[in-house]
Amino acid sequence: MTIIVDPDGPKLANVASNPIPDGVRLGYFKTSDQVRLRYAFWPRTGPVHRGTVCLVQGRTEFIEKYFETIADLRSRGFAVATFDWRGQGGSDRLIGNRGLGYVDQFSDYWCDLKSFHAEILLPDCPPPYYLVGHSMGGLVSLFAGVHDRLMFERIFVSAPMVALDKQPLSMGGMAKVAEVLSFLGLGQLPAGRQADKPMSEGTFPNNPLTSDKARYMRSVDVVRAEPGLGVGKPTIRWVAAAMAAMAEAGRDNFPGRIRVPLLMLAAARDEVVSSSAIEQLGLRLRTGRHAVIAGARHEMFVENDFIRGQVFAAFDAFITEQSG
């Protein structure tokens, strides 16, 4: 096991609005290509042993954002293991500007997940294993279902990043443009709108992520306490990698390549990823299905109680009631 013993050790931000759940084991591990990632593990709190949920985040996110969801999963009898992707959270940043999102190839995220499974899940976490992913992590989760049907018993994804709406070109076309810009040496420059701003109380009205202000502000509080966890705009290189991955997910043969039981949830009011693309993919799955959560914005795990209740009802029907 490639666990790094660090006298300073990794830390979790602990703020009044978002306290750390009890019982955490925190550490670093190294991926097969030698990138250091921060991870955390919590044992179950429920009376029935149901295995371990491997929880993977979206772009810009960090372990601390999911404390409430981790508590919800533990109370159902699941241990929870999670980590920060390369380039974000408390994991190694890949370029000099820590505030920009960067990855060389989207397959590097698969390397992160595969290394986590080998180094942390298999040796240290109780089986069986279930994969739960959001947004960018949802797309990585879909590729996990393509690449290895034995790693996880079931896969549950929230608003997976399979396509973006309102783009001037197709996902493949956008990938080619960003690839050319990267080839010209511009890969580490930021992409995105000038109007995009960091999350704050002032950005809550009309935000595309959640209708729940208290949950929205928890992430703001965490980054205020630990600014190093934050990530802003993606780089052109990240756009090239992500668009190419989304283009692959849009190919006609992709749904049939997923070989693990899968449930995808789409948010009816999603303005970040394409809900219609999720629905189209869901209709063509051989080993899975999809559902649309009415009224939900993109980040369903940090939405209001009514929407979260629907998300966990779907999770329970698909995973909790099938485990243990």
Side-chain angles (χ1 to χ4, degrees), residues 25 57 87 149 156 162 176 221 248 256 319:
R25 186 180 77 233
Q57 318 148 5
R149 65 184 179 86
F156 179 92
V162 297
K176 289 176 183 177
D221 293 342
E248 183 174 348
I319 292 184

Side-chain angles (χ1 to χ4, degrees), residues 231-247:
V231 174
K233 293 179 181 178
T235 55
I236 290 172
R237 178 70 243 161
W238 185 93
V239 171
M243 291 291 184
M246 286 186 272

Side-chain angles (χ1 to χ4, degrees), residues 41-45 50-54 73-74 77-81 125-126:
F41 170 81
W42 281 267
R44 76 178 196 271
T45 56
R50 298 188 184 279
T52 299
V53 166
C54 176
L73 293 168
R74 296 175 73 199
F78 296 98
V80 180
C125 303

Side-chain angles (χ1 to χ4, degrees), residues 16-180:
S17 61
N18 192 52
I20 301 171
D22 291 338
V24 65
R25 186 180 77 233
L26 188 65
Y28 292 119
F29 72 99
K30 276 197 172 180
T31 63
S32 58
D33 61 345
Q34 300 302 299
V35 179
R36 188 183 73 164
L37 306 185
R38 181 180 69 153
Y39 83 93
F41 170 81
W42 281 267
R44 76 178 196 271
T45 56
V48 179
H49 162 69
R50 298 188 184 279
T52 299
V53 166
C54 176
L55 180 62
V56 293
Q57 318 148 5
R59 194 190 81 81
T60 78
E61 296 184 334
F62 36 78
I63 293 168
E64 288 87 343
K65 186 167 183 173
Y66 286 89
F67 283 171
E68 182 182 20
T69 296
I70 288 164
D72 291 329
L73 293 168
R74 296 175 73 199
S75 69
R76 286 165 163 78
F78 296 98
V80 180
T82 187
F83 64 93
D84 292 330
W85 298 114
R86 65 181 66 203
Q88 62 188 59
S91 293
D92 280 353
R93 301 299 170 96
L94 307 174
I95 59 175
N97 188 338
R98 290 180 54 87
L100 296 178
Y102 182 91
V103 73
D104 287 325
Q105 304 292 334
F106 202 81
S107 58
D108 291 345
Y109 293 131
W110 165 240
C111 175
D112 291 351
L113 179 57
K114 186 168 56 174
S115 298
F116 186 65
H117 185 271
E119 299 292 339
I120 305 300
L121 284 180
L122 284 177
D124 278 0
C125 303
Y129 306 121
Y130 302 95
L131 182 58
V132 174
H134 171 66
S135 194
M136 185 189 84
L139 181 55
V140 181
S141 299
L142 297 183
F143 280 107
V146 168
H147 294 317
D148 194 328
R149 65 184 179 86
L150 299 178
M151 283 176 66
F152 298 101
E153 296 287 323
R154 292 183 171 229
I155 298 174
F156 179 92
V157 294
S158 157
M161 189 184 73
V162 297
L164 306 182
D165 290 328
K166 300 179 181 177
Q167 299 300 306
L169 299 171
S170 67
M171 298 299 100
M174 294 293 291
K176 289 176 183 177
V177 171
E179 194 68 54
V180 169

Side-chain angles (χ1 to χ4, degrees), residues 276-288:
S276 62
I278 296 169
E279 292 184 79
Q280 291 165 21
L281 175 60
L283 291 171
R284 294 182 290 137
L285 289 171
R286 293 183 181 177
T287 59

